[in-house]
Amino acid sequence: EKKCSMDALQLTPDALAEMIQLIDTGVISGRIAKEILPDLLQGKGNAGVRAYVEGRGMLMITDQAVVAAMVDKVLSASPKQLAEYRAGKVKLMAFFEG
């Protein structure tokens, strides 16, 4: 996209390996990796990709109890929309997903 040479890329082999390992272990998704890759190519994250991703608040939440608590919080904060959704207004799913 920026038409630079391979020599101009600042992504270290260690940082690339760490990013791949984070994907393989489910710490980040492929979508997150694609989003941070331009920054990594500029050398951001070379001190630690996990720390870089965590600092940006992009770690995936995989603990089901944490996710369930977040869902409960959203649902309890929006009783009117929840009642409308349960009554058949399925377009409100986008409201809850947001």
Side-chain angles (χ1 to χ4, degrees), residues 10-88:
Q10 298 176 30
L11 175 63
T12 65
D14 288 341
L16 178 60
E18 184 181 0
M19 182 185 76
I20 293 168
Q21 188 260 343
L22 292 174
I23 296 167
D24 286 346
T25 58
V27 174
I28 65 172
S29 66
R31 183 191 61 77
I32 292 171
K34 287 178 187 177
E35 189 173 328
I36 65 166
L37 185 57
D39 289 345
L40 297 181
L41 292 171
Q42 295 175 16
K44 298 174 185 171
N46 282 345
V49 177
R50 183 186 178 102
Y52 179 74
V53 172
E54 192 170 355
R56 294 191 58 199
M58 299 175 83
L59 292 179
M60 291 190 341
I61 300 170
T62 56
D63 184 329
Q64 290 184 358
V66 172
V67 173
M70 293 170 84
V71 169
D72 289 342
K73 183 177 178 181
V74 169
L75 295 178
S76 66
S78 310
K80 180 183 174 207
Q81 290 84 358
L82 179 58
E84 290 175 7
Y85 176 79
R86 287 182 173 159

